[in-house]
Amino acid sequence: MSIDNFPQIDKKQQERWEKANLFASPKMPKGKKFYCLDMFPYPSGAGLHVGHPEGYTASDILVRYKLMNGYDVLHPMGWDAFGLPAENYAISTGIHPRITTHKNIQNFKRQIKAIGLAYDWNREIDTTDPKYYKWTQWIFLQLFKKGLAYESTVPINWCPSCKTGLANEEVFNGKCERCGHEIERKALRQWILRITDYAEKLLEGLDELDWPESTLAMQRNWIGKSNGAEVTFKVDGTDETLTVFTTRPDTLFGATYMVVSPEHPLLKKIVTSEQQAAVAAYQAEAAKKSDLERGDLNKIKTGVFTGAYAINPVNGKKIPVWTSDYVLMGYGTGAIMAVPAHDERDYAFAKKFGLEIIEVIKSEQGVEKEAFTGDGELVNSGFLNGLRVKESKAAMIKWLAERGLGKAKTTYKLRDWVFARQRYWGEPIPIVHCPKCGVVPLPESQLPLTLPEVEKFEPSGTGESPLATVDSWVNTTCPHCGGPAKRETNTMPQWAGSCWYYLRYMDPHNDQIFVDPAIEKAYGPVDCYIGGAEHAVLHLLYARFWHRVLYDLGYVSHKEPFHKLRHQGMILAFSYRDKMGNYHGYEEIDFKDGKAYLKTTGEELSPMVEKMSKSKKNVVNPDDILTQYGADAFRMYEMFMGPFEASKPWDMKGIEGVTRFLKRVCGWTDTVKIVPESDPRKSEILKNRTIAKVGEDIENFRFNTAISSLMVLFNDISKLPQISQDTFQTFLKLLHPFAPHLTEEIWQQKGYEGFVVKSAWPKPNEALMQDDTAEIGVQVNGKVRDRVSVPRNAERAEIEKIALASPKVARSLEGLEIKKIIVVPGRMVSIVAAPKK
Ligand code: ANZ
Ligand code: ZN
Ligand code: ZN
């Protein structure tokens, strides 16, 4: 019974699993539970990429391992299906996004199923299904009622190419996250979520998570907590005051001028008539720049003197007030005290405009050439002289507070979340605008508020969503007064649906509430979450925010949604070029002995590692791999390529190697003699060590080394003339999470009961893990003649005896007389011999 038609086995086993409903999770977990979540995909028209299954296979391995360890496992899959590609496709073809999305989902599902992943498909969700987004809208209403959703007309990031506003998190280096177009500032009426109210909670929550350090750091930086003080300065000759935020109150004696942001409301009150024109011109210039150009990219400082002076509260000194765009209105108070001796930006500004520089922290280098930002002893600072920076901060805050001139203050970089998009294919925001009552939330009984049919999907570009053109939908009655009113026409951003989907999976068919609290308590939180690192501050921050609000409202019982998080690395690919530099696709290539040859001419091609792209003919389509090699080789190769988190190239030669291994396993199971007795001690030790190693490796996402140790075990046991049933079954069980189809097939063919995945994961026998013998070399006159195995605690005399008993050693001693035997315990035996006299 030769088994090597892998694709055929895949189909047969997958049908068998589906029939037995093997991966349905219980409604309510009873014993130990394990919730393993994959970041659900956006079902694009291009279909699955080999990058998707990398994470999915990892979670599947973990899930099968946990099932075999007796856990009630929750392992769902669904579709994050709102978004721009379907809508843009609709604009160019007129085909409704619902239709394209549905088609793409079917294709994704077929591809994912073909990999044999242990999902509970009864829990499948689709964020564009009104039954699902009813609850997305419901959660929005809870945010609204809690005062966490508000309307405001503010300058926002506008992508002129996507014709929509974007959140700060969606802008990278001043460019649109989706299309790369330069972002503009545009004032638009917006829905905004008050995520800043949760800055501290979102920061603190990070401490309890098992997440990659780099992702934690990105979230901490994004939230950007700064401890410092607010200090109030009098504007000379007026009743006005200027308050600044500073992280360095210790340097107040070194403040030699002040800067207000060009948008600062006080600016027009304090500017002198001589300076008015210059300031107005400067304000107009600054309005054209993005925050990024004014902040991190701002190398050349510009600015204008306002004509006004302020009084430094600590020494009564008169210092000039300037305006400059390096001070942003959106941070702190929009005004700063400038300390050029100890702040790089202030230093550059002071040098350029010839402003005074006073050193207040002593340093070896001095402040002749640059600002000194390190720690040191305070000088030129009155009552602070002689103290260090940290003590001076506290002392200065105390001094200011006692006089009502300032106080300790904490600020955050995090900004509120712009939560409206001027597009069609998103969740409608359940709000009505009434001329009498103002903004009125839709009653929960009217949810879901479904998307209306439209003729044109084109965004107007003026900042109005295509929904605004559907009069019959827009015109409605006010739920409050019953008078005529208009619906909100903005839709939610693409991130909304993924903010809570992991909760819906726990109880996907409930139409009373988004998740039954008892079920949430039992299944939550997600024990292991797997997905790309590109979501470090977008999805992963937004979902934590919604979750924390739901927690505060008492709807969920855990503070954080995702306990453990792991990111898969990027999959690159080998591309192959001929002598002329032309690329050749994998179907044109013969892979032989680790080399690549062009099928038509036999020319050897040279490989290179690059990003997958059509032009390089190196895009790997999972469908092709699955029909040629089968799902197990595909899965095993994805895991064997390298460390899970590392980016690594897909290599067709590698999949050949894994396939050879699986074929050897097949051949061996056909002929191997399975007996009840146990195996030689050496194999038993290796088996027990491998059990422990594979389990540990799976838990720690070291799938590649787990596979290596399985290969080592196979090499050993496949050489035995016969094998114990225990070892045989153990091997199948250990291999199962990686190659589920083949192992189930063999299990079935050997007539074993049930399914491997329903059998118990083997327990390593501790006593058989320690090897109590050691292999040592035996030398005769400096040449190694044999290796012998000796008990670890053997005495010198016993070791000598074993060494001399070796036939190889005896042969090399023929005609010689032993002069001396040196035993180095645990390492070697060295025999010195001379010809017999
Ligand atoms: C005086 C000072 C002296 C400062 C010194 C720094 C060094 P982080 O750490 O990012 O919170 N600042 C405050 N508000 C600002 C605004 N709206 N736009 C631009 N800069 C602003 O930075 C806080 C520091 O950035 C504050 O502390 C302030 O400059 C500046 F030796 O005050 B500092
Ligand atoms: Zn764009
Ligand atoms: Zn009304």
Side-chain angles (χ1 to χ4, degrees):
M1 50 172 185
S2 174
I3 329 164
D4 54 10
N5 190 337
F6 294 129
Q8 206 175 314
I9 297 175
D10 291 350
K11 270 197 75 191
K12 174 180 161 197
Q13 289 301 328
Q14 283 165 17
E15 276 163 21
R16 214 175 136 231
W17 305 341
E18 199 160 322
K19 243 211 212 117
N21 204 11
L22 270 195
F23 305 118
S25 327
K27 183 151 178 66
M28 189 68 135
K30 286 167 203 82
K32 307 179 281 183
K33 68 95 186 178
F34 188 76
Y35 183 0
C36 191
L37 181 71
D38 291 294
M39 286 187 185
F40 63 164
Y42 173 75
S44 75
L48 215 59
H49 179 275
V50 287
H52 288 114
E54 187 189 10
Y56 304 162
T57 303
S59 76
D60 198 61
I61 289 168
L62 202 55
V63 155
R64 288 174 185 268
Y65 168 77
K66 292 286 179 183
L67 282 169
M68 294 170 78
N69 277 286
Y71 284 80
D72 277 337
V73 165
L74 179 59
H75 188 215
M77 182 45 82
W79 318 105
D80 188 14
F82 275 128
L84 277 182
E87 183 165 344
N88 289 339
Y89 188 74
I91 291 166
S92 59
T93 62
I95 299 174
H96 198 288
R98 193 186 331 102
I99 295 169
T100 346
T101 301
H102 179 77
K103 206 177 110 220
N104 293 349
I105 287 177
Q106 292 316 309
N107 187 42
F108 259 70
K109 194 168 170 181
R110 174 189 64 74
Q111 290 185 300
I112 288 179
K113 281 191 157 182
I115 305 167
L117 303 167
Y119 290 123
D120 181 355
W121 286 106
N122 302 317
R123 295 172 182 266
E124 177 180 356
I125 56 177
D126 166 0
T127 54
T128 66
D129 180 349
K131 286 204 207 78
Y132 179 86
Y133 71 65
K134 165 180 177 173
W135 297 109
T136 311
Q137 291 171 332
W138 182 87
I139 297 173
F140 177 87
L141 289 180
Q142 311 314 307
L143 291 163
F144 178 80
K145 283 183 202 153
K146 217 187 162 212
L148 292 170
Y150 64 96
E151 235 193 337
S152 167
T153 300
V154 286
I156 57 144
N157 306 303
W158 174 262
C159 174
S161 159
C162 297
K163 297 199 175 78
T164 186
L166 297 174
N168 283 346
E169 288 81 2
E170 292 170 298
V171 178
F172 287 100
N173 293 328
K175 298 202 169 85
C176 171
E177 184 239 3
R178 300 211 62 86
C179 72
H181 201 286
E182 204 80 44
I183 292 306
E184 293 171 1
R185 302 294 284 172
K186 181 164 176 152
L188 267 190
R189 186 186 58 82
Q190 291 294 330
W191 278 95
I192 296 175
L193 297 189
R194 221 182 282 282
I195 191 172
T196 51
D197 271 14
Y198 274 72
E200 193 56 39
K201 285 177 174 175
L202 290 172
L203 194 62
E204 275 170 10
L206 294 173
D207 294 338
E208 61 185 67
L209 302 178
D210 174 7
W211 283 22
E213 230 12 89
S214 56
T215 307
L216 291 173
M218 278 177 80
Q219 290 222 350
R220 289 198 181 103
N221 286 340
W222 192 260
I223 296 167
K225 180 175 181 172
S226 283
N227 289 319
E230 272 183 2
V231 185
T232 301
F233 291 66
K234 273 204 169 69
V235 181
D236 192 38
T238 74
D239 290 336
E240 305 291 347
T241 58
L242 251 182
T243 299
V244 303
F245 169 71
T246 175
T247 46
R248 297 293 305 273
D250 54 304
T251 62
L252 188 50
F253 283 96
T256 55
Y257 65 100
M258 295 184 79
V259 185
V260 296
S261 150
E263 297 84 13
H264 201 289
L266 210 63
L267 190 48
K268 62 174 181 293
K269 292 191 193 152
I270 61 172
V271 64
T272 57
S273 46
E274 301 83 63
Q275 289 302 97
Q276 222 153 29
V279 166
Y282 188 76
Q283 282 177 310
E285 273 308 301
K288 291 185 200 149
K289 293 193 202 167
S290 70
D291 278 4
L292 198 81
E293 288 170 280
R294 292 173 49 166
D296 291 351
L297 301 181
N298 187 351
K299 296 282 175 271
I300 301 154
K301 300 278 175 285
T302 58
V304 179
F305 178 44
T306 64
Y309 288 85
I311 308 293
N312 186 336
V314 81
N315 56 13
K317 240 174 119 168
K318 245 172 88 170
I319 56 176
V321 180
W322 286 63
T323 181
S324 169
D325 64 10
Y326 81 92
V327 175
L328 306 174
M329 195 57 223
Y331 188 65
T333 63
I336 64 157
M337 62 183 221
V339 184
H342 304 291
D343 180 281
E344 282 157 13
R345 293 163 300 178
D346 299 345
Y347 191 87
F349 193 87
K351 280 282 178 198
K352 177 159 178 188
F353 294 106
L355 296 157
E356 196 182 2
I357 300 174
I358 300 176
E359 182 178 36
V360 290
I361 315 283
K362 203 158 79 188
S363 67
E364 261 165 42
Q365 64 184 55
V367 294
E368 294 306 306
K369 289 210 197 70
E370 56 181 354
F372 171 69
T373 57
D375 190 12
E377 196 179 287
L378 274 279
V379 293
N380 302 323
S381 293
F383 65 95
L384 296 179
N385 284 340
L387 298 179
R388 316 265 317 165
V389 166
K390 192 161 174 243
E391 309 149 354
S392 324
K393 282 185 184 176
M396 180 58 87
I397 290 173
K398 185 161 171 277
W399 188 93
L400 289 166
E402 280 165 4
R403 287 157 184 80
L405 297 168
K407 57 170 195 258
K409 171 87 184 173
T410 300
T411 63
Y412 300 87
K413 295 241 154 55
L414 186 66
R415 295 283 81 107
D416 276 344
W417 176 12
V418 174
F419 193 72
R421 298 294 178 274
Q422 295 69 43
R423 302 292 304 239
Y424 173 75
W425 193 229
E427 300 87 346
I429 294 176
I431 292 284
V432 164
H433 299 272
C434 170
K436 281 204 214 115
C437 319
V439 168
V440 183
L442 221 55
E444 287 171 17
S445 62
Q446 288 185 28
L447 299 184
L449 170 62
T450 53
L451 274 171
E453 294 301 316
V454 296
E455 309 264 281
K456 273 177 48 220
F457 301 96
E458 195 84 50
S460 67
T462 59
E464 272 209 304
S465 139
L467 292 181
T469 62
V470 191
D471 289 341
S472 58
W473 186 83
V474 172
N475 294 317
T476 182
T477 50
C478 169
H480 194 236
C481 70
K486 286 191 186 302
R487 288 195 196 283
E488 169 64 49
T489 58
N490 282 323
T491 53
M492 297 189 199
Q494 160 221 347
W495 309 104
S498 58
C499 274
W500 71 283
Y501 75 115
Y502 54 92
L503 293 169
R504 189 60 176 172
Y505 280 139
M506 298 178 192
D507 191 13
H509 308 294
N510 197 330
D511 54 13
Q512 299 302 308
I513 186 164
F514 69 100
V515 61
D516 181 306
I519 296 179
E520 186 279 331
K521 194 159 181 209
Y523 265 128
V526 171
D527 295 287
C528 188
Y529 194 18
I530 301 169
E534 66 278 12
H535 295 296
V537 288
L538 291 154
H539 159 61
L540 287 169
L541 186 68
Y542 296 149
R544 290 184 59 228
F545 167 47
W546 278 38
H547 189 92
R548 191 55 194 261
V549 175
L550 292 171
Y551 173 83
D552 287 350
L553 292 171
Y555 288 108
V556 298
S557 58
H558 308 274
K559 282 188 185 167
E560 287 287 329
F562 315 120
H563 173 66
K564 172 171 171 167
L565 171 73
R566 291 295 179 268
H567 300 304
Q568 76 268 22
M570 257 251 276
I571 296 196
L572 308 167
F574 273 97
S575 53
Y576 294 91
R577 283 190 296 184
D578 61 25
K579 284 193 222 88
M580 310 291 294
N582 298 318
Y583 284 101
H584 293 280
Y586 299 138
E587 68 290 345
E588 300 173 76
I589 303 172
D590 263 337
F591 294 99
K592 265 195 309 238
D593 313 320
K595 292 194 169 132
Y597 303 94
L598 195 58
K599 274 182 188 162
T600 48
T601 64
E603 179 189 339
E604 191 184 332
L605 302 171
S606 42
M608 215 157 111
V609 173
E610 294 176 282
K611 253 190 137 161
M612 285 195 191
S613 88
K614 272 198 190 122
S615 65
K616 294 183 177 129
K617 299 197 180 172
N618 66 349
V619 177
V620 178
N621 181 344
D623 284 348
D624 298 341
I625 306 293
L626 291 172
T627 47
Q628 194 178 345
Y629 300 93
D632 290 346
F634 179 62
R635 296 165 57 112
M636 261 183 103
Y637 177 59
E638 288 243 353
M639 295 297 103
F640 196 46
M641 282 164 74
F644 181 67
E645 312 77 22
S647 59
K648 53 219 165 235
W650 181 279
D651 182 356
M652 296 309 280
K653 299 189 296 273
I655 193 148
E656 297 279 348
V658 170
T659 305
R660 267 198 303 280
F661 170 71
L662 292 176
K663 286 197 169 152
R664 279 178 60 209
V665 172
C666 285
W668 171 70
T669 57
D670 277 349
T671 53
V672 65
K673 189 169 158 216
I674 300 168
V675 295
E677 301 88 75
S678 61
D679 297 310
R681 189 178 170 80
K682 211 175 125 236
S683 300
E684 285 291 332
I685 289 166
L686 184 61
K687 173 176 77 181
N688 282 286
R689 284 185 178 172
T690 310
I691 295 173
K693 168 99 166 93
V694 170
E696 243 175 65
D697 278 356
I698 290 178
E699 299 257 13
N700 292 301
F701 280 69
R702 293 189 300 251
F703 307 109
N704 56 333
T705 56
I707 294 172
S708 303
S709 13
L710 278 169
M711 289 175 168
V712 170
L713 177 65
F714 178 73
N715 280 342
D716 180 83
I717 59 177
S718 61
K719 286 194 193 107
L720 300 176
Q722 58 176 41
I723 184 176
S724 70
Q725 170 154 319
D726 178 68
T727 301
F728 185 74
Q729 292 194 342
T730 297
F731 177 70
L732 289 183
K733 290 179 182 187
L734 298 184
L735 182 59
H736 174 80
F738 305 91
H741 303 86
L742 180 61
T743 46
E744 291 290 8
E745 177 71 21
I746 298 171
W747 192 265
Q748 193 186 8
Q749 290 205 10
K750 292 287 178 200
Y752 301 142
E753 217 172 290
F755 296 89
V756 187
V757 73
K758 290 274 167 181
S759 74
W761 187 259
K763 294 240 172 330
N765 179 344
E766 296 281 341
L768 274 173
M769 279 168 64
Q770 284 310 323
D771 195 351
D772 44 15
T773 62
E775 283 237 315
I776 61 169
V778 185
Q779 294 183 351
V780 176
N781 290 338
K783 252 191 161 164
V784 179
R785 293 300 180 176
D786 198 9
R787 298 190 65 81
V788 296
S789 152
V790 296
R792 275 189 200 280
N793 53 4
E795 302 275 316
R796 214 164 265 270
E798 196 187 344
I799 298 174
E800 269 182 31
K801 225 166 88 189
I802 294 172
L804 292 172
S806 149
K808 285 185 189 159
V809 172
R811 218 172 306 128
S812 60
L813 281 172
E814 265 164 32
L816 302 180
E817 192 177 12
I818 297 175
K819 294 276 175 204
K820 202 169 163 194
I821 303 182
I822 305 156
V823 177
V824 188
R827 297 203 34 213
M828 65 161 195
V829 176
S830 178
I831 303 170
V832 184
K836 275 188 191 148
K837 284 194 200 112

